[in-house]
Amino acid sequence: MTTEAADLIRTEHALGAHNYKPLDVVLSRGEGVHVWDTEGNRYLDCLSAYSAVNQGHCHPKIREALIEQSAKLTLTSRAFHNDQLAPFYEEIAALTGSHKVLPMNSGAEAVESAVKAVRKWGYEVKGVPEGKAEIIVCSNNFHGRTLGIVGFSTDPVARTGFGPFAPGFRVVPHGDIAAFRDAVGPNTVGFLVEPIQGEAGVLMAPEGYFREVREICTEMNITLILDEIQTGLGRTGRLLAEEHEGIEADVTLVGKALSGGFYPVSAVLSNSEVLGVLKPGEHGSTFGGNPLGVAVARAALKVLVEEGMIENSEKMGARFMEGLKGIRSNVVKEVRGRGLMLAVELFPEAGGARPYCEALKERGVLAKDTHDHTIRIAPPLVITPEQVDWALEQFDAVLTGS
Ligand SMILES: *Cc1c(COP(=O)(O)O)cnc(C)c1O
């Protein structure tokens, strides 16, 4: 590593809070599936900023939208209308089949907003006694880092030392339909769940689980809130991961790739009932729905669809998965995932995923270890067959120690 890069890392360490432990690589440029470090070394990005750059780094059309809009109008607050918000609503509603949209910025804010709206819906529409609303969530969930959210996390690292936490949440094991049914009570207003648990290591529920969840929610008048902040917008080979399950959520949360990595833009998408309970002054965000953010989001959605990225995710995901499954390695316990949301879980005896990610970095592939033994693989959805095959050669070399 050059002294320049080492200096940047040292300064970050000295001045920044140590809430991340990045790989020792300092990036300064990105294009499509590739990023470059300060020394000019090229890497294939197999993380995509946790699936925020599904459209590839610095997509020219999204960049154009950003530049154009930034010269016109960037922020009005919602005290006034802006001419980008209505077309954004129309386009995202048509694409996702939603009736109401609430724009926010980060994913965590979308989650918090949904919790607020669903609780209010519970009191005003379902008739739950004030202060008694319960939301069911899953073990190993990841919905963000705010106090409200970490309060119902089951990860001690995310929770410990940050209490006291808000009540009103009940945790059930992900994928366990009997546990979900048992947890439902008269005051249950919502079930908040990830279609595939990304941060937990790309964990999938058993076939049919979500269909039964949908039935129970409909029968018991419970709002089904799918957190598609990571699984959504093409990542799993469909626009939304719910399509694999043949269900429709009442509330869908999107973020991350909603801006293609240019700007924090998230949204709560819902039927008209749930978001319909919010009245002026009851919720808001200075930057939520700002013209720059939504102009970027409009372009990000447009290229996702027009450039066939969702279909490519399905095809390249299948190719990647097949290639990974073909690697003859005695450290690999399981390969799983859907579309380009993939994971390789290693046996505990392999000594953790981090050294493998470091070895991959040396070979020009940036992937992220998650929960000690799992390597997560989520390249931008614009990846080509040749790039998948090249990546597979590097995974093969690292996983077989050749
Ligand atoms: C990343 C993520 C969030 C939080 O998004 P932020 O923009 O980091 O606040 C919430 N839910 C899921 C499933 C995520 O992957």
Side-chain angles (χ1 to χ4, degrees), residues 101-232:
V101 185
L102 171 66
M104 297 296 287
N105 311 286
S106 68
E109 284 174 302
V111 175
E112 290 271 347
S113 305
V115 167
K116 284 175 73 177
V118 167
R119 280 181 172 175
K120 197 152 197 290
W121 168 85
Y123 300 128
E124 290 188 359
V125 181
K126 185 167 175 172
V128 169
E130 183 62 33
K132 299 283 184 219
E134 268 188 6
I135 292 179
I136 301 174
V137 298
C138 288
S139 52
N140 301 316
N141 68 70
F142 183 85
H143 298 289
R145 300 295 197 166
T146 59
L147 271 178
I149 294 169
V150 299
F152 57 79
S153 168
T154 59
D155 178 358
V157 179
R159 287 172 61 86
T160 308
F162 300 121
F165 300 119
F169 298 96
R170 189 182 277 235
V171 182
V172 298
H174 187 250
D176 182 339
I177 197 68
F180 174 65
R181 203 189 305 268
D182 287 347
V184 170
N187 297 335
T188 307
V189 295
F191 180 37
L192 169 62
V193 57
E194 300 156 83
I196 298 173
Q197 294 188 310
E199 294 312 293
V202 189
L203 302 182
M204 299 163 71
E207 172 67 35
Y209 172 74
F210 281 100
R211 273 196 303 281
E212 288 195 65
V213 162
R214 178 65 273 181
E215 278 171 26
I216 294 168
C217 287
T218 304
E219 185 190 332
M220 306 299 288
N221 199 18
I222 295 166
T223 303
L224 175 58
I225 313 161
L226 287 184
D227 181 345
E228 297 242 23
I229 292 166
Q230 190 163 147
T231 54

Side-chain angles (χ1 to χ4, degrees), residues 1 9 22-27 37 39 41-44 354-367 390 394 398:
M1 189 182 302
I9 292 175
L23 287 183
D24 279 338
V25 58
V26 181
L27 303 174
D37 68 15
E39 291 154 58
N41 298 311
R42 190 180 80 169
Y43 303 89
L44 180 73
R354 175 107 181 173
Y356 291 88
C357 291
E358 279 161 2
L360 283 164
K361 185 199 87 176
E362 294 308 314
R363 293 182 153 270
V365 175
L366 294 183
W390 179 84
Q394 315 316 314
V398 163

Side-chain angles (χ1 to χ4, degrees), residues 366-378:
L366 294 183
K368 176 75 174 78
D369 51 305
T370 174
H371 286 262
D372 299 341
H373 303 297
T374 302
I375 307 170
R376 186 203 330 220
I377 306 165

Side-chain angles (χ1 to χ4, degrees), residues 300-361:
L301 290 174
K302 193 157 184 248
V303 300
L304 193 72
V305 174
E306 279 183 358
E307 297 179 17
M309 293 180 196
I310 304 169
E311 297 77 10
N312 195 56
S313 171
E314 182 178 27
K315 283 202 202 91
M316 292 305 107
R319 188 183 186 101
F320 218 134
M321 171 86 95
E322 194 186 311
L324 287 169
K325 284 190 165 161
I327 295 173
R328 283 174 218 281
S329 160
N330 48 21
V331 297
V332 176
K333 184 178 170 196
E334 190 185 33
V335 177
R336 58 176 176 263
R338 209 163 234 173
L340 281 169
M341 186 171 185
L342 298 162
V344 176
E345 185 175 337
L346 309 178
F347 286 111
E349 301 78 57
R354 175 107 181 173
Y356 291 88
C357 291
E358 279 161 2
L360 283 164
K361 185 199 87 176

